[in-house]
Amino acid sequence: MVAAWQAPAAGSDAVDDLVESALAGDRDALDQLIATVHPLVVKYCRARVAAGLRAVAGADDVAQEVCLAVVSALPGYRRGSTPFLGFVYGIAAHKVADVHRASAKVLSIPVPEIPDAADSADSPEQQAMRSATAARIGQMVATLPPQQQEILRLRVVVGLSAEQTAAALEMSAGAVRVAQHRALGRLRSLLTEAGEAPVDQGGWAEVIG
Amino acid sequence: MTRATERLPDVHAVVFDDYLLDRLATGNGRSDTPVEGALRRWRDQLLLDLPPIPTDRELRAMTRGRRFHLRPDDGGRRAGRSWHAVTGIAASIVLLLGGTTAIGARAAHPGDLLWPVTQVLWGDRADSVLAQQSATRALVDARSALAIGDLAAARMALARAAAAVPMIALNDGRNEVAADLESLTATMRQTVAAPPEKPSEAAGPTDDDVPDGPAAPSAHAAPDDDGAGRAAGGANGNANNGNADDGNDVAGSSATAPASRAAAPGGQADRSTATGDHDRIPAHRSSAGAAAPAPHRPPAAQTTAPPSSRQSTVPTSQSGSQHTSRPADSDHQQAGPVGPSSDAPTDQPDPTSAATSPSTSASESAGGSSVTDTTSVAASDDGKSASDAASSVPSAPSSSLSASSPAQTAMVPSVDDPGSGAGAGEQPLLAPAIGSEIALTSPTGAALSVSTEPAEPGSGEAVTPTVVVTSSGTVAV
């Protein structure tokens, strides 16, 4: 359990040390800080942006924006006021909200270049199935209260520990654990209502759909 | 999952779910529960093809051109911005200073810090300023030279100034300098006209003067308009003095100066009797005035006897600032300019120039101790030549060299020529019959006699004028 709590993200102490160094002008520290924050931000953005009909690439762009915003806002960060993860989460949440507002108007997805050849990685059907699966679950998660949604994203997709999630959401670890327990219970009920029990990855989406 | 359990979650269930989520977060383990499986697929789907982690450098590359500022390590960026600012400010300062310097240099004068800039940027103005300065300096020199009576130096200085004046821009006070130059020139002429009296010395100078035969033709003009006899006394006396003085210096030049002076006394009388020739007199005056200084030195002559336009200005200044007696002088001096025809020949012996003139011999007996020199001028026989001489004067602005003759001609009026009073225009006023003698009486009582003799009987018309001046002796030319 202890080992499991050591999420990909470094411990808060380590992150805070990196922030200190970066604020002092240490470029290496800043690079490490970005390397620590970026995956988390990417996952979070994907969890939120791609939950809809958005492509992953758009989420990654958003993640990039978030990282930039984090770096640019770094000088304004005061250690001790809020956990750094909470600081990053606040920025990311606002950024994603901005993207959602903007995407409501613009339904285009910016891509660096239009591919000439077909993508051989996944067949369109498979891709559709997968995205459909993810979309189904995303839709199910979206039915949860916002706080539980965030907790599930942070815990499952971003991979934060309960403590880290609590820090990001400025909650107590206990409240996070209770909330995630209720979210899982809600999902279980949804799945049960949707039909048969556990399904294998292939047909599960169809069952739900 | 009853309501009760929802309100009071089972601690075990909470811990279980927490553990489940931890497994999902780390990707470890595998669960066959529907919820765990669905969440895992959700997670795996979202985490496919994670983008590479951007480095600080990449991020900063992205931030370029954006409004993001990487404060912690933005030293370079800020330095870049400040570098731009510094460059711009420096360029502005350079432009400002350059412009100020350029503009300021316009008003710079030699010796100023900006003078070199002026020479580079405003070459024309620099030349003008230099010319103005040299002209001013020359005028100062001329003034001081005049103050100490050094006429030669004054003339040189005036020549320098006159040469520099045209190069002065109007903005740099060309008019002022020109006016100054003219007034100085006039002053000098005045000074020349009334040099300090010196004890005259014998006939020595007289001899020098006499040979200036070329003056002869001009003699005609002089007598034109005066009743010679009346003026004779005063004119002669002055003329004598003047000539004597000049004789001390240089024969040629000295002759002129006195000429104008000598003329002064008699001038009024002359004017009163002036005849139709007066029309030309103004022109004479100017040329005479300008010419007067000239004879001294050829260089001076060049500058002081420039184009007629320039001379024409002389009378103006004269009338303006000069002494009142000036006009009177001029009347006499007109005789001098008459000589223009004999400009070049000034130095030549009279035979050449006076080829057609009757020989005039003037003899004067000096009265008292003062020595008088008499210049007699041989006039050409026929009135035509006389009128030629007279008419040529106005059109001959630079009669510089003939200026020596004025001295002599000035005295001519004093020659009591019976015929002089008669025909002013056509007839030679001084056309003594060949072989005749003209008796002159100077105010001092000196008697002057001019005799005309046929010099070369064999040459027919050609008559060599012979001027015999008798002061203490007789000089025959």
Side-chain angles (χ1 to χ4, degrees), chain A residues 19-33:
Chain A
V19 171
E20 283 295 314
S21 301
L23 283 175
D26 186 349
R27 284 195 166 193
D28 290 338
L30 186 63
D31 276 341
Q32 290 185 35
L33 191 64

Side-chain angles (χ1 to χ4, degrees), chain A residues 150-169:
Chain A
E150 287 295 282
I151 288 174
L152 281 185
R153 290 185 190 112
L154 292 177
R155 291 286 277 123
V156 175
V157 179
V158 177
L160 298 183
S161 67
E163 283 75 13
Q164 289 170 332
T165 303
L169 299 178

Side-chain angles (χ1 to χ4, degrees), chain A residues 5 22 25 27 30-31 34 43 46 65 68 71 75 130 134 137 155-156 177 180-182 188 201, chain B residues 6 13 17-18 22 25 35 38 41 43 45-49 54 56 59-60 62-63 66 70-72:
Chain A
W5 282 26
R27 284 195 166 193
L30 186 63
D31 276 341
I34 292 172
K43 292 170 185 173
R46 284 188 175 193
E65 295 274 341
L68 280 175
V71 173
R130 282 213 211 177
I137 303 223
R155 291 286 277 123
V156 175
R177 287 193 176 98
Q180 70 192 15
H181 168 70
R182 288 178 177 166
R188 285 189 186 99
Q201 52 180 355
Chain B
E6 282 195 17
D17 285 345
D18 190 35
D22 283 343
V35 168
R41 276 189 292 274
R43 179 182 189 273
Q45 175 68 33
L46 289 178
L47 299 189
L48 278 175
D49 302 328
D56 173 36
L59 275 184
R60 259 186 283 114
M62 288 185 297
T63 59
R66 299 197 181 200
L70 307 185
R71 174 93 65 85

Side-chain angles (χ1 to χ4, degrees), chain B residues 233-450:
Chain B
N236 270 341
N238 287 322
N240 290 342
N241 289 339
N243 276 340
D245 295 344
D246 291 338
N248 294 340
D249 306 338
V250 185
S253 64
S254 58
T256 39
S260 58
R261 181 175 174 273
Q268 291 160 353
D270 291 345
R271 286 174 72 196
S272 64
T273 59
T275 60
D277 274 351
H278 265 301
D279 297 346
R280 291 172 231 160
I281 289 176
H284 281 296
R285 283 180 199 157
S286 64
S287 58
H296 277 287
R297 303 153 188 274
Q302 289 174 352
T303 54
T304 48
S308 58
S309 62
R310 191 150 180 295
Q311 283 186 343
S312 66
T313 62
V314 175
T316 323
S317 65
Q318 278 183 348
S319 61
S321 62
Q322 289 292 34
H323 55 299
T324 54
S325 65
R326 194 74 199 165
D329 291 352
S330 309
D331 285 354
H332 281 283
Q333 283 184 340
Q334 62 152 335
V338 171
S341 57
S342 61
D343 280 356
T346 302
D347 293 337
Q348 298 176 350
D350 50 344
T352 51
S353 63
T356 60
S357 32
S359 67
T360 304
S361 66
S363 64
E364 178 185 10
S365 59
S369 61
S370 70
V371 181
T372 60
D373 72 326
T374 303
T375 309
S376 65
V377 184
S380 57
D381 289 14
D382 51 347
K384 200 176 78 170
S385 65
S387 63
D388 283 350
S391 64
S392 66
V393 172
S395 63
S398 59
S399 58
S400 56
L401 292 181
S402 68
S404 60
S405 62
Q408 297 158 333
T409 56
M411 299 171 56
V412 174
S414 65
V415 174
D416 196 1
D417 181 10
S420 67
E426 298 299 327
Q427 286 288 26
L429 295 181
L430 180 57
I434 293 176
S436 67
E437 278 196 7
I438 304 171
L440 301 176
T441 305
S442 70
T444 58
L448 172 70
S449 66
V450 177

